[in-house]
Structure formats: structure tokens, C-alpha cells
Amino acid sequence: MIIDAHCDLLYQLWKYDYDVNSSEFLQFDLTKWRNSPVRVQAFAIFVPSSVPSDQQYDVALKMIDLFFEKIIIPNPDIIHIKTKTDLENLQPNQLGAMLTLEGCHPIGMNLNKLTKMIDYGVRMVGLTWNNNNAVADSIMSAKREGITAFGQEVIQLLNQESIWIDVSHLSIKGFYDVINQADHVIASHSNAFTICQHPRNLDDYQIKALIERDGLIGLTFVPEFTKASASVEIADLFTHIDHFITIGALNHLGFGSDFDGITETIMGLSSVTDYASLQDQLIKRYSQSTINKISYQNFLKKFPRTK
Ligand SMILES: [Zn+2]
């Protein structure tokens, strides 16, 4: 069983109207999902910054519509995960689907818009994508300020509602503001900076801070976050896993593939079905207890919302 903390299927469905059941253009579709070891998938609402700001919230709502119309309603075996109990009650013949937000830009400076998204089931909120917004600056921008006054209201709301605050994409200053203020922290799709020097990865101080706050880190399959090389292999992910474990993150590691958010893929890991190959290789290298922790137990244990 695997729980995956990040994919961008909703964005692909919104942008291209691909067939959710099966499409050669999708790294994650329902057929591939059913043929994979992934039991629970987080689906990100990701509104590209090219959408004019006065239309971004409508696009976010449209992606929520797609989540229900294409994934939840037509498929009785797919359960909308809103609480830890939903996760624990998931039956062997069922799949779990969770809504997340990647970047707070669609809410502008309106807290009610975020409340509404939480009402629809959003359970993990990334404060920024690669663009700056009213909440905070991104790690990918030249201006790297931390959490704004409005951002502090956002964090307060997310704490009250027991929602995971996602620090992937966030500026370093923003990261430590969240570490100081958030009740529940996750980096849903980031690797280790010591192993691959990409700004989207977490340095050792950040990893240790996340461990201290009982956070979760989703190992991601973005090739350029894994190895600075033209060809990246599944084994290159193990270098990251080993490093995370060496600095004490065994109980804080999970997966956040970023399928359908990436155009290049790791060799042998080009769609969600290839999680089976990853599993085969994990079994040769790590104990079953380590694999279980990374695959689902850590996520399950730390999922913040109980009711
Ligand atoms: Zn992302």
C-alpha cells in the first residue's frame, strides 16, 4: 500500500480535457491508478499563474468540480478522504482520493475563499507555488520574504481547521515562519538538497526542523530534484532516502510523486503503475518496516484532521 501526497491530474484534466479513465497523455489516470500499488492519492488544485488573478478562484472551483465529477461521483470504489478516520476505514477494495491546494494565489486576500475550499474537502494547503502571492514569497523568486500579515491569518485558519501546511515551493524565510507558527507541517514534494542542489529541495537544517515539528516529507520523482544528470534512475531516489534516514527522518518520510506535474520522468518511473517497479527495488534494499513507514504509515500517523 502506498499513499502519494502530490499529483497534478486535476490541472491536466482542466487544461486538456483528457479521458480520466485512460489516456496516453496522462502519467496518472484511473486505469493506471487501479493497476498500481497506490491506495490513496492527493490531487492538487493548481492554478497556473498565467490565469488572470480575478479568474484564478473560479479556475480553482472548476478543478474541485472536476475532482467530484470525474473521480468521486462516477466511481463508488473511490472514497473522498477528509479525515484520518476515512483513511483508517478504507477497505482493501477501495481507493482514497484527497484534495489539496498548491499555492494560495487563487484566494487572493480573501480568507472566506480558503474556508470554502476547506468545506469542499481541501486538507493540505501549499502556501505558494513558484510565484509570490499575498501569503508569502516562493523559493523560486528573487524576492524571498516570509509570511505576510495576511499569511499569518491563513496559518491561523489552517491551524484551527487542522489542515496540513505544505512548505514545498516556499521561500526559506517563509519555511521557518511556518515551522514557528503551524500546527501541522508537510513538504509534499521535495527531495534532499545535500544530494541534489536544487532550490526546491530541503537542506539539512530544514529537514531537521521538519523532524522536530513532527512534519512529513514527500519524496518526489522530479528528475531535476533527484540528480543533476541527463539520465536519472530509480536507484538515484535511494540516495535521497538514505540521506533522509541518516539524518533521522525515517519516521517523517513519504511519497509525493508529482505525476502529471512533470514532463520529464525518472527512467522506469514514468507513470503511477511504475510504483510497482519502485516497490520491487525497495524490497531488495530496505526492511519491510522501513518500506511500510515510507509508503503509508508515516502519512497515516501524521494526517492532522481527525473529524
Ligand atoms: Zn509543485
Side-chain angles (χ1 to χ4, degrees):
M1 163 169 174
I2 285 168
I3 301 180
D4 184 293
H6 190 82
C7 85
D8 280 307
L9 173 69
L10 297 177
Y11 165 74
Q12 297 289 340
L13 295 178
W14 168 76
K15 185 153 192 213
Y16 300 106
D17 195 30
Y18 293 137
D19 181 358
V20 70
N21 289 304
S22 177
S23 166
E24 56 176 312
F25 302 111
L26 291 172
Q27 296 160 358
F28 186 108
D29 60 39
L30 300 188
T31 305
K32 293 185 186 89
W33 187 12
R34 290 194 167 103
N35 289 319
S36 84
V38 173
R39 287 281 311 289
V40 177
Q41 179 65 52
F43 294 93
I45 299 158
F46 164 66
V47 179
S49 47
S50 55
V51 174
S53 38
D54 62 336
Q55 293 166 33
Q56 288 180 354
Y57 187 62
D58 287 342
V59 171
L61 293 182
K62 177 70 202 164
M63 288 187 199
I64 294 175
D65 282 348
L66 288 167
F67 175 78
F68 287 105
E69 281 168 18
K70 305 258 184 185
I71 299 173
I72 301 297
I73 295 167
N75 300 287
D77 63 321
I78 302 179
I79 308 301
H80 182 193
I81 300 292
K82 286 176 283 191
T83 65
K84 189 184 232 171
T85 314
D86 293 339
L87 275 173
E88 289 163 347
N89 289 344
L90 204 64
Q91 299 302 303
N93 58 342
Q94 292 176 328
L95 298 170
M98 196 180 132
L99 267 176
T100 70
L101 175 64
E102 182 167 32
C104 281
H105 49 289
I107 67 163
M109 286 196 71
N110 188 336
L111 220 48
N112 291 332
K113 289 183 174 172
L114 187 58
T115 303
K116 190 115 193 165
M117 293 175 94
I118 295 167
D119 289 346
Y120 284 125
V122 167
R123 292 295 179 262
M124 183 194 299
V125 171
L127 298 187
T128 71
W129 183 65
N130 288 340
N131 52 328
N132 300 337
N133 61 37
V135 170
D137 285 349
S138 161
I139 187 74
M140 301 307 283
S141 96
K143 183 172 156 282
R144 290 180 187 175
E145 290 301 313
I147 305 298
T148 62
F150 173 66
Q152 291 184 3
E153 289 178 44
V154 165
I155 292 176
Q156 244 170 39
L157 173 68
L158 297 172
N159 284 347
Q160 273 163 22
E161 296 283 340
S162 300
I163 305 291
W164 247 331
I165 300 188
D166 188 353
V167 293
S168 285
H169 290 279
L170 189 60
S171 67
I172 299 274
K173 193 163 184 302
F175 173 93
Y176 285 103
D177 289 343
V178 171
I179 286 291
N180 289 327
Q181 295 170 30
D183 289 345
H184 309 282
V185 193
I186 184 169
S188 69
H189 55 305
S190 293
N191 289 339
F193 187 85
T194 297
I195 304 302
C196 179
Q197 284 77 51
H198 191 288
R200 275 279 287 97
N201 285 340
L202 301 161
D203 67 35
D204 289 357
Y205 297 105
Q206 290 179 296
I207 296 167
K208 285 176 185 156
L210 280 165
I211 294 169
E212 221 159 273
R213 293 304 320 277
D214 201 26
L216 193 77
I217 300 161
L219 189 80
T220 194
F221 305 162
V222 182
E224 56 178 321
F225 303 174
T226 306
K227 191 185 182 187
S229 152
S231 62
V232 184
E233 298 171 15
I234 288 179
D236 294 319
L237 286 171
F238 302 149
T239 320
H240 288 269
I241 294 178
D242 291 345
H243 181 72
F244 280 120
I245 291 175
T246 301
I247 63 171
L250 175 60
N251 295 325
H252 304 270
L253 203 53
F255 288 116
S257 63
D258 209 3
F259 281 130
D260 286 325
I262 46 179
T263 44
E264 302 292 319
T265 54
I266 290 175
M267 266 193 290
L269 201 50
S270 59
S271 79
V272 63
T273 45
D274 289 336
Y275 252 117
S277 321
L278 173 61
Q279 265 188 331
D280 289 344
Q281 293 195 37
L282 284 170
I283 288 163
K284 290 183 191 142
R285 204 182 158 100
Y286 301 97
S287 69
Q288 195 58 51
S289 111
T290 293
I291 295 171
N292 289 347
K293 283 180 177 187
I294 300 174
S295 297
Y296 66 95
Q297 281 173 351
N298 290 340
F299 185 103
L300 193 60
K301 224 177 239 175
K302 294 177 208 308
F303 189 83
R305 181 109 161 186
T306 51
K307 56 179 193 292

